[in-house]
Amino acid sequence: MDDWLIDDDRLSIGRKSVLPGEGFWYPDTLDRERTERETAAALAGASTVVIADPDADGLACTALVREAHGEAALVPAGPHELETAIEWTAEYGEDGATVFVCDLCPDDAGDVAELPALVARAGRVAWYDHHEWVAELADLVEDAGVDLVVGESGEVCTADVALAELDCDFPERFADLAAATRDHDLWIREDERSGDLADYSYWAEPEEYVETVSEHGADLPPEIETYLAERRVEKEALIEKAVERAELREVGDWTVGVTYGRCSQNEVAETLRERGADASVIVKPAGSASIRGSDTFERCHEVAAQVNGGGHPRAAGCKPEVYEDMLDYAHHWTTHGAVAKQAIVDAFRRLDVDVETDS
């Protein structure tokens, strides 16, 4: 395939909104091989390791661990990469290392199947999180010998948990960082800095983000603010495209905003909420989707759990299992995610049936 076909820089906003980014086209096998090499190199000689979701919350936890323990190797891992991250840390980590797993929640027992091997090799494994956990999975993690601490999902972010649990007299900027991170992660939106942290964590390399917030906390330096302002020109244009495509659907007792596009889901969901949506579904070109709630809908994690995902009562993510081959993806792009949208809306409908049955 010619590189120009997937070159984001040459695409119009309209086309960029519909198609996935360049990383989508990189084969998983090659990406896995490259990531495994990088992980092995990072773990070599490391006495402290952090396996974390590379978003603002997970990376804030990494900054906290490094402040408390000095150097710490970072193994970035999204929810669907948890099993592999644990496996590689058990294989390539140093004997007796201290390992922290942060801002990640297993979806099933397979995600934590390699935990006994990791515990056997490490000196200590601690797990900090704030998602909604299934009791049986929490028992599996604790029975493996892990120190598990899960904060209240609707009240704290994982950085809050790490701040409280780590044995360190942290400088004030780290408590401020945790508070600003919570403001974004729980969708409180009272601290204008939290949006900056979210955008910067998305656009910057994980190590760059950790280094910056370790030094500055939530108050990002002027050069970063300038960088964010430049990037937000395109961000706002992509948000506008997703909002233009949105429709409001009546599903049971709820009004659900449904749209598609490569965009910042929180801002899109906020706009749809202002238009009357109790919940919003934003399907992405790569196949995943974000589900956002409101004061009138706090069951996002229950919807996501039905379509290969999970999360919080008012913020969750998923990737419906509706893609069998590239023709399915071609249909996904040309129909603006019609099949994935329907799968998620159907999950809302099943929730409504469950509520009626329970009553």
Side-chain angles (χ1 to χ4, degrees), residues 48 50 59-73 100 162-163 166-175 177 210-217:
T48 306
V50 185
L59 296 179
C61 294
T62 305
L64 288 162
V65 170
R66 287 183 175 173
E67 180 68 18
H69 288 262
E71 295 298 320
F100 296 91
L163 185 73
L166 291 167
D167 185 15
C168 178
D169 184 14
F170 288 103
E172 181 58 30
R173 69 180 182 277
F174 287 97
L177 173 64
V210 173
E211 181 179 342
T212 301
V213 298
S214 293
E215 180 178 354
H216 299 280

Side-chain angles (χ1 to χ4, degrees), residues 123-139:
R124 178 193 175 213
V125 179
W127 196 316
Y128 302 150
D129 193 33
H130 74 135
H131 293 90
E132 297 280 339
W133 279 62
V134 175
E136 290 79 4
L137 293 177
D139 290 342

Side-chain angles (χ1 to χ4, degrees), residues 4-5 53 55 63 83 119 129 187 195 199 212 216 226 246 264 273 284 320:
W4 67 270
L5 282 171
D53 192 331
D55 65 1
E83 178 183 3
V119 171
D129 193 33
W187 210 15
D199 284 345
T212 301
H216 299 280
T226 299
S264 179
R273 185 192 65 77
K284 301 297 187 67

Side-chain angles (χ1 to χ4, degrees), residues 1-8 10 22 25:
M1 184 194 313
D2 288 336
D3 290 348
W4 67 270
L5 282 171
I6 58 172
D7 182 4
D8 266 359
R10 74 176 189 86
E22 294 177 23
W25 308 98

Side-chain angles (χ1 to χ4, degrees), residues 88-142:
W88 287 347
T89 305
E91 181 175 354
Y92 299 114
E94 297 292 328
D95 291 336
T98 299
V99 179
F100 296 91
V101 183
C102 297
D103 199 35
L104 291 162
C105 177
D107 291 325
D108 54 50
D111 287 343
V112 294
E114 298 298 322
L115 261 186
L118 177 59
V119 171
R121 181 155 194 177
R124 178 193 175 213
V125 179
W127 196 316
Y128 302 150
D129 193 33
H130 74 135
H131 293 90
E132 297 280 339
W133 279 62
V134 175
E136 290 79 4
L137 293 177
D139 290 342
L140 274 178
V141 170
E142 292 181 322

